[in-house]
Amino acid sequence: MVDAEPEVVPAVESTADAIAAMEIRGAATIADAAAAALATQAEGSPAETPAAFRRGLRAAARTLYETRPTAVSLPNALRYVLRGADGDTVGELRASTIDRAESFRRDLEHARETLGGIGANRLRDGDVVLTHCHSTDALACVEAALEDGKALEAIVKETRPRKQGHITAAQLREWGVPVTLIVDGAARRYLDAADHVLVGADSIAADGSVINKIGTSGLAVTARERGVPVMVAAQTIKLHPDTLTGHTVAIETRDEREVLSDEERASIRSSDAPDGSAGEPGSEDGLTVENPAFDVTPPRYVDAIVTERGQFPPESIVTLMRELFGDTTDEPWAE
Ligand SMILES: O=C(COP(=O)(O)O)[C@H](O)[C@H](O)COP(=O)(O)O
């Protein structure tokens, strides 16, 4: 008898689609949504046997895993929940998976709050932070500093092509923080007015390299040149255990139309091109657009990585990574 395809509940598919389309975005938020989706899978699984339940759960985890490759918080969340699926009956498995997903989500929230309190200690009354992209971990530090009664100002990089800087600006304004929004290319000009560069991370490698939104590395290099400290706020689910054994972190490349729409491309193509290359949109026209979503900032440009376990110089993060993840990184969602 051939086994039927394991059933993935529709809510998991729609969470996966929303992550891929970046309606759900940011490493911690993705992890939270993935854990919630696994709980939904457990709740709605039509499985009649423990084996079928586990197959469905693994298939759901694979669907979520395949959405975006760079933020390690996603596989770390899936691994955590799947490891907690325990029991001899479908009912027991269902209950333990849901519990595990809920405890993951609670821990995530606590970690962000604790991290915020630790990061806030680096921020003094009257400081100006310069941000890139939108990071809930980075903003937790600002929020905690504000709660401590410190007045802060922010210079917010727009963050092309998706302009996540607008989300950061909106959040900061909601908290009453004065915001200066700048285009990415203006960052160096504004660094002299900043006391900290404050960013999040999608993944942190064993050597302390920080993988975050494209443009972070250039910002960090320039900040070093201007003498502005770079603070990375990243809870420990951003630690990438595969890098302990020498693996590199995959950098997501996204659709070129995020950078250049078909209409814009059409306006660039010239019918007078000497090679006569202007054709239909999508044809070979000599214009290549690259859209890597993340980059790697080497540890020497990072002053501190702030986690819920304390703050670390990037070079020592490997000790924490070993303690929390060990050397083994299985893929419990594999078929
Ligand atoms: O690079 C991004 C988001 O990229 P994208 O918009 O492509 O998902 C954020 O800085 C990190 O994910 C950290 O965010 P958080 O601190 O919220 O986990």
Side-chain angles (χ1 to χ4, degrees), residues 10-22:
V12 170
E13 305 276 6
S14 42
T15 300
D17 290 346
I19 294 173
M22 289 178 62

Side-chain angles (χ1 to χ4, degrees), residues 58-280:
R58 285 200 300 273
R62 278 197 301 280
T63 304
L64 294 159
Y65 175 68
E66 280 155 12
T67 52
R68 295 191 75 190
T70 303
V72 73
S73 50
L74 174 58
N76 281 348
L78 299 174
R79 202 175 278 125
Y80 181 91
V81 176
L82 260 58
R83 279 186 186 150
D86 191 28
D88 298 326
T89 65
V90 170
E92 284 170 5
L93 279 164
R94 208 187 295 285
S96 61
T97 307
I98 294 169
D99 274 3
R100 185 79 162 181
E102 280 169 2
S103 78
F104 177 84
R105 300 183 70 197
R106 270 195 311 273
D107 289 352
L108 199 66
E109 178 115 14
H110 285 153
R112 185 171 53 235
E113 271 172 40
T114 310
L115 169 160
I118 295 169
N121 290 330
R122 296 182 68 88
L123 307 175
R124 295 154 306 179
D125 189 27
D127 275 357
V128 177
V129 296
L130 193 152
T131 67
H132 184 61
C133 198
H134 167 259
S135 156
T136 53
D137 283 350
L139 284 174
C141 303
V142 173
E143 189 178 21
L146 296 172
E147 281 166 7
D148 288 346
K150 297 174 191 169
L152 298 176
E153 288 185 31
I155 300 168
V156 172
K157 285 181 72 195
E158 178 185 43
T159 318
R160 278 275 290 155
R162 301 286 296 227
K163 297 189 180 165
Q164 291 94 329
H166 291 198
I167 310 170
T168 302
Q171 179 63 81
L172 290 168
R173 286 304 304 131
E174 199 181 312
W175 291 336
V177 175
V179 168
T180 304
L181 184 71
I182 58 170
V183 297
D184 295 321
R188 184 166 184 269
R189 183 178 170 90
Y190 283 83
L191 269 167
D192 287 341
D195 299 293
H196 312 263
V197 164
L198 172 59
V199 294
D202 287 85
S203 285
I204 296 196
D207 69 347
S209 295
V210 172
I211 296 87
N212 191 48
K213 181 54 55 191
I214 190 80
T216 304
S217 65
L219 176 63
V221 170
T222 319
R224 173 54 46 87
E225 181 234 353
R226 307 306 265 186
V228 182
V230 175
M231 163 178 174
V232 175
Q235 44 180 301
T236 54
I237 52 154
K238 317 284 179 65
L239 301 182
H240 204 310
D242 291 355
T243 60
L244 281 168
T245 47
H247 288 269
T248 52
V249 178
I251 299 292
E252 177 182 11
T253 301
R254 295 190 61 85
D255 194 303
E256 63 181 53
R257 277 168 297 202
E258 289 186 343
V259 177
L260 189 72
S261 66
D262 288 341
E263 208 179 18
E264 288 167 327
R265 176 179 279 273
S267 76
I268 292 173
R269 66 181 54 235
S270 161
S271 50
D272 297 335
D275 57 0
S277 56
E280 290 305 306

Side-chain angles (χ1 to χ4, degrees), residues 41-59:
Q41 170 70 27
E43 237 161 53
S45 170
E48 287 174 3
T49 64
F53 179 93
R54 285 186 184 279
R55 267 202 311 278
L57 196 61
R58 285 200 300 273

